[in-house]
Amino acid sequence: MSGSNSSPPSAAHALPVAADEPLGLTVHSMPSPRQAMAGAEGRRTVQGRWKMVFVMLCCAAPVIASYFTYYVVRPEGRSVYGQLIDPQRPLPNVEASLPDGKTLRLPSLKGQWLLVSVADAACDTLCEQQLYLQRQLRESLGREKDRLDRVWLVSDDQPLPERLANGLRGATVLRVPAAEIARWLPAATGHAPAEHLFVVDPLGNLMMRFPALMDAAGASRGKRDLERLLRASSSWDEAGR
């Protein structure tokens, strides 16, 4: 019996050997200096906006807190005489004239609580009554009165009566076009702005309107509203602008 000889596999049957291939590299381009600066500037802009929002919130927080304290966290049974203006209306950027002919922009009145009355220069009986109550309300606040300014908006360009000179001492008298007054100061249905007294906060926002044709009894209730507002804002509002 002849044995079969096992011979080593030939080269043709050998396992294939992977050929050497060059290593592939992908090269990513680096951002140009201009692109890098633009990206950094964008990040700084976003950060700046967030910081601005934070600062604005910090400034508004005391006002929001005082309104929250006044209108929400209050003892049961306490009635509010004035009507809250919602949404608030900022002082319009309108040029007003002083009695001496100088001018100012209404937003320059920011920094104090304002008690605002409206009438034409002739100042009829209703106007005199409103100016009287306005003066009495401020004086009744005692040592806190310096945190509240009286403002009379005169709706025409006629001369002011001499008889009002004494009562207007210490008040801010400004001539503002009647159309601008009507746009800014909302009257109750069936009434005119001249029949109300309005309250503006130190940030320049119209925030309260006392009922039309307020009498002495109403003024007493209005005084309590003003006292509560001043008390609620005592932590951040001081006399003077």
Side-chain angles (χ1 to χ4, degrees):
M1 183 171 80
S2 61
S4 59
N5 296 327
S6 61
S7 59
S10 64
H13 295 88
L15 295 174
V17 178
D20 292 337
E21 295 181 356
L23 180 63
L25 296 176
T26 301
V27 179
H28 297 278
S29 60
M30 297 293 290
S32 67
R34 180 176 297 178
Q35 291 173 325
M37 291 178 63
E41 183 67 24
R43 288 192 295 273
R44 284 195 296 270
T45 300
V46 172
Q47 292 173 353
R49 288 174 179 170
W50 278 111
K51 289 179 181 178
M52 182 175 65
V53 170
F54 178 74
V55 170
M56 292 175 64
L57 287 174
C58 288
C59 293
V63 182
I64 295 172
S66 65
Y67 288 168
F68 181 82
T69 300
Y70 180 61
Y71 288 105
V72 180
V73 184
R74 61 175 184 262
E76 291 298 327
R78 184 170 83 184
S79 60
V80 178
Y81 181 64
Q83 180 181 359
L84 182 67
I85 303 298
D86 186 26
Q88 297 173 343
R89 300 184 177 199
L91 284 160
N93 190 23
V94 173
E95 188 173 72
S97 301
L98 294 160
D100 61 5
K102 296 179 181 178
T103 61
L104 57 77
R105 292 278 172 179
L106 288 183
S108 67
L109 299 178
K110 291 180 182 180
Q112 286 278 84
W113 288 95
L114 307 177
L115 187 58
V116 181
S117 63
V118 180
D120 56 32
C123 196
D124 58 14
T125 302
L126 171 62
C127 165
E128 290 195 36
Q129 173 73 1
Q130 294 290 80
L131 292 178
Y132 171 77
L133 292 176
Q134 184 186 40
R135 185 172 66 253
Q136 291 302 106
L137 277 169
R138 182 179 182 273
E139 292 300 317
S140 70
L141 297 175
R143 63 182 183 181
E144 299 291 341
K145 69 180 183 180
D146 290 336
R147 294 169 59 193
L148 179 74
D149 283 354
R150 291 182 292 143
V151 178
W152 179 26
L153 300 183
V154 182
S155 59
D156 59 24
D157 57 0
Q158 297 303 306
L160 298 176
E162 288 293 331
R163 71 180 189 276
L164 300 179
N166 186 57
L168 291 175
R169 188 175 292 111
T172 300
V173 180
L174 299 171
R175 295 186 188 274
V176 178
E180 296 292 348
I181 293 174
R183 273 193 287 269
W184 180 47
L185 300 178
T189 302
H191 295 278
E195 299 176 44
H196 296 278
L197 290 179
F198 299 88
V199 180
V200 178
D201 70 27
L203 295 182
N205 295 312
L206 172 65
M207 52 79 60
M208 181 182 284
R209 175 185 66 204
F210 287 130
L213 306 176
M214 183 169 61
D215 57 13
S220 178
R221 298 179 63 187
K223 174 195 172 186
R224 290 197 291 271
D225 280 358
L226 291 174
E227 288 174 335
R228 291 164 186 160
L229 281 172
L230 293 176
R231 187 162 55 247
S233 63
S234 61
S235 63
W236 57 273
D237 171 54
E238 297 180 358
R241 289 187 172 85

